[in-house]
Amino acid sequence: MSSLRRRAVAVAAVIAAASFALAGCSTQQNETNGSGVSDTNTQTFTPADGKPTATLSVASGSENKEVAAAIQKAADQSKVAITMHYMGSLEIMNALKKGGENFDAVWPASSMWISMGDTKHIVKDATSTSTTPIVFGIAKSKAVELGWADANGTTKPVKTTDIIDAVKSGKLKFSMTSATQSNSGASAYLAFMTALRGGEGPLTDADLANQTLKDQVKTLLTGVDRSSGSSDWLKDMVVANPDRFDSMVNYESLVIQANKTLEKNGHDPLLAVYPADGIAISDSPLGYVDRGQNLKSAFDSFAKALAAKDSKLEFERAGRRTGLGGVLAYASDSKVKESFRADWGINTDGSALKTIALPAASVINSALNVYQTALRKPSWTVWVVDYSGSMYGEGKDGVVKGLNAALDPAQAKASYIEPGDDDVNILIPFESEAHSPIKANGQNTGKLLNEAQSTEASGGTDIYLGLESALEQLPDESEAAKYTTAIVLMTDGRSETGSRSRFESDYKNDNLDLPIFSIMFGDADPSQLKELATLSNAKVFDGRSGDLASVFRQVKGFN
């Protein structure tokens, strides 16, 4: 019996697929996270009378799932149906670079993704729908322990250097979205760097070359103990596991949404901590994508309804701000009061938001590259790849293409996911048994990718033996804190289960805190993969339709 069979993983209960219900709205599920909350990437809102005059397809940030009531009100009032396609900020930017694809409108979290992506100048009349600052959401007990809040929830001014000191002392670890894949992560990163630089004005290329400044930001980012490609999913992860995750960087509105569930479940709320020397604001712009499709009048009707009182009130009830300068327009509404609570550390005074100036698009692009290659916490990723007989042909070709998209430096750079010098990637092919691991350090991934191409597809499918082998390839205890570590499992079939019980009991006994992300395609058994996601606070990605390379890029955004 291998050492891994003596120490592997406990798989918890199967996720219940929770359906998202809203009057006049339908959803389609294609991803599931490990908390038992279903993720949807497409959601359609139809007018209450069911007779839309037109339908708009909108490329939207995932955080807009939280303002479904406002969207429904606007659909009812405008008589326009809205299909929301939830995606990452980078995906929205790339869709614009390609001419808007099939979208009629874009609704990212920040204007900077329009400015970076709209190289063809096809976005018209982009207007902010609401605002929300990016803050630290810290469990009340933790914030009090750090001296950043008192017992009644009132927070104190906290500078970015204070956050660095807490990280260096080992008192603070936090979860955060990837700066290259999600707006909340990118905005927080730019705010950190701007605040530490000091002075007035936006970041410049000269700032990005300042080694002292980069060292400070790199030290701060060593505090990241779990990365994510989605702000909304990050919020769900924290809510589902409050004892494990007590601090996150996210939108104020999502901290509010998290607290409503945390308190309902009897848990400590998160306190919103606003960095006193520089904060980023999400302006949530909605803009028309002019592809010659002649839907501008429908867009104008929807945009006007979204800016009307009925919808704006729903924005504020969900934790967004709609007044000028970041104040509340409907502060006297009882449900708005339930969201913007002082005992959650929420500060409704617009003067508390010391907003940074966003850099030029070219500087943002350079800053994201610096983050990915030099400043973020290095990743240690074990890729457990199905090479069973059913993978022969298109299956294997898709996986090899996906691995190249994620790990070939030239290809990955286009998606801001290229390997950094300190990253570690390990490939473990498996079928009825696990093959020998192939390790790649930094950008030297050529041998690993060649092995992925040359390995033959044959045999049966045993994901548990592959995962056991992966656990033998984790960093040792002395090195573990240096990395964000994850296993990525890719399979197209239903696994043999003879070794599952050993894997379950041994892994539970080892108390490993390790996400196991899965990419499901072919005839893979969703229940087996959901069990792994539930166990490890991770997520299942559905690669059964569409471009596998795109799915691989999304997965890399979570590590």
Short mmCIF file of all heavy atoms in Angstrom, two decimals, residues 161-172 215-216 219-220 222-223:
data_model
loop_
_atom_site.label_atom_id
_atom_site.label_comp_id
_atom_site.label_asym_id
_atom_site.label_seq_id
_atom_site.Cartn_x
_atom_site.Cartn_y
_atom_site.Cartn_z
N THR A 161 0.01 50.22 5.11
CA THR A 161 1.19 49.74 5.85
C THR A 161 0.77 48.95 7.10
O THR A 161 1.48 48.03 7.52
CB THR A 161 2.09 50.91 6.26
OG1 THR A 161 1.30 51.93 6.91
CG2 THR A 161 2.79 51.51 5.03
N ASP A 162 -0.38 49.31 7.71
CA ASP A 162 -0.88 48.54 8.84
C ASP A 162 -1.25 47.12 8.41
O ASP A 162 -1.03 46.15 9.15
CB ASP A 162 -2.12 49.21 9.44
CG ASP A 162 -1.84 50.59 10.02
OD1 ASP A 162 -0.72 50.80 10.53
OD2 ASP A 162 -2.74 51.46 9.95
N ILE A 163 -1.81 47.01 7.20
CA ILE A 163 -2.18 45.70 6.67
C ILE A 163 -0.92 44.87 6.43
O ILE A 163 -0.86 43.67 6.77
CB ILE A 163 -2.99 45.86 5.37
CG1 ILE A 163 -4.30 46.60 5.66
CG2 ILE A 163 -3.27 44.51 4.74
CD1 ILE A 163 -5.03 47.06 4.42
N ILE A 164 0.12 45.50 5.88
CA ILE A 164 1.38 44.80 5.66
C ILE A 164 1.96 44.31 6.98
O ILE A 164 2.43 43.16 7.09
CB ILE A 164 2.39 45.72 4.94
CG1 ILE A 164 1.94 45.97 3.50
CG2 ILE A 164 3.78 45.09 4.94
CD1 ILE A 164 2.83 46.93 2.73
N ASP A 165 1.92 45.15 8.01
CA ASP A 165 2.45 44.76 9.32
C ASP A 165 1.71 43.55 9.88
O ASP A 165 2.32 42.64 10.46
CB ASP A 165 2.36 45.93 10.30
CG ASP A 165 3.35 47.06 9.98
OD1 ASP A 165 4.31 46.80 9.23
OD2 ASP A 165 3.14 48.18 10.47
N ALA A 166 0.38 43.53 9.69
CA ALA A 166 -0.42 42.40 10.19
C ALA A 166 -0.09 41.12 9.43
O ALA A 166 -0.06 40.03 10.01
CB ALA A 166 -1.90 42.72 10.06
N VAL A 167 0.18 41.25 8.13
CA VAL A 167 0.57 40.09 7.33
C VAL A 167 1.94 39.58 7.76
O VAL A 167 2.15 38.37 7.96
CB VAL A 167 0.56 40.45 5.83
CG1 VAL A 167 1.24 39.35 5.01
CG2 VAL A 167 -0.86 40.67 5.33
N LYS A 168 2.89 40.50 7.91
CA LYS A 168 4.25 40.11 8.29
C LYS A 168 4.30 39.43 9.65
O LYS A 168 5.10 38.52 9.88
CB LYS A 168 5.17 41.34 8.28
CG LYS A 168 5.47 41.86 6.88
CD LYS A 168 6.17 43.21 6.91
CE LYS A 168 7.54 43.14 7.51
NZ LYS A 168 8.24 44.45 7.43
N SER A 169 3.43 39.86 10.55
CA SER A 169 3.42 39.27 11.89
C SER A 169 2.68 37.94 11.94
O SER A 169 2.69 37.26 12.96
CB SER A 169 2.75 40.25 12.88
OG SER A 169 1.36 40.37 12.60
N GLY A 170 2.04 37.57 10.84
CA GLY A 170 1.29 36.32 10.79
C GLY A 170 -0.10 36.42 11.38
O GLY A 170 -0.80 35.41 11.52
N LYS A 171 -0.54 37.64 11.70
CA LYS A 171 -1.86 37.82 12.31
C LYS A 171 -2.99 37.91 11.29
O LYS A 171 -4.16 37.79 11.65
CB LYS A 171 -1.86 39.09 13.18
CG LYS A 171 -0.93 39.01 14.39
CD LYS A 171 -0.97 40.31 15.18
CE LYS A 171 -0.05 40.25 16.39
NZ LYS A 171 -0.04 41.52 17.17
N LEU A 172 -2.65 38.14 10.02
CA LEU A 172 -3.68 38.32 9.00
C LEU A 172 -3.38 37.50 7.76
O LEU A 172 -2.30 37.62 7.17
CB LEU A 172 -3.83 39.80 8.62
CG LEU A 172 -4.85 40.11 7.51
CD1 LEU A 172 -6.27 39.82 7.99
CD2 LEU A 172 -4.74 41.56 7.04
N ASP A 215 8.44 45.52 -3.76
CA ASP A 215 8.70 44.64 -2.63
C ASP A 215 7.60 44.78 -1.57
O ASP A 215 7.19 43.78 -0.95
CB ASP A 215 10.06 44.95 -2.01
CG ASP A 215 11.22 44.50 -2.88
OD1 ASP A 215 10.99 43.68 -3.80
OD2 ASP A 215 12.35 44.97 -2.65
N GLN A 216 7.14 46.01 -1.34
CA GLN A 216 6.07 46.23 -0.38
C GLN A 216 4.78 45.51 -0.80
O GLN A 216 4.13 44.85 0.01
CB GLN A 216 5.80 47.72 -0.22
CG GLN A 216 6.84 48.49 0.58
CD GLN A 216 6.44 49.95 0.71
OE1 GLN A 216 6.38 50.69 -0.28
NE2 GLN A 216 6.18 50.37 1.93
N THR A 219 5.08 41.76 -0.44
CA THR A 219 4.93 41.35 0.96
C THR A 219 3.47 41.32 1.36
O THR A 219 3.00 40.37 2.01
CB THR A 219 5.70 42.30 1.88
OG1 THR A 219 7.09 42.26 1.57
CG2 THR A 219 5.52 41.91 3.34
N LEU A 220 2.71 42.33 0.97
CA LEU A 220 1.29 42.36 1.28
C LEU A 220 0.58 41.15 0.69
O LEU A 220 -0.25 40.51 1.35
CB LEU A 220 0.68 43.67 0.77
CG LEU A 220 -0.74 44.02 1.23
CD1 LEU A 220 -0.97 45.53 1.08
CD2 LEU A 220 -1.80 43.29 0.44
N THR A 222 1.66 38.26 0.12
CA THR A 222 1.95 36.97 0.76
C THR A 222 0.85 36.60 1.75
O THR A 222 0.76 35.44 2.18
CB THR A 222 3.30 36.99 1.50
OG1 THR A 222 3.27 37.95 2.57
CG2 THR A 222 4.45 37.29 0.56
N GLY A 223 0.01 37.56 2.11
CA GLY A 223 -1.11 37.29 3.01
C GLY A 223 -2.26 36.57 2.35
O GLY A 223 -3.20 36.14 3.04
#
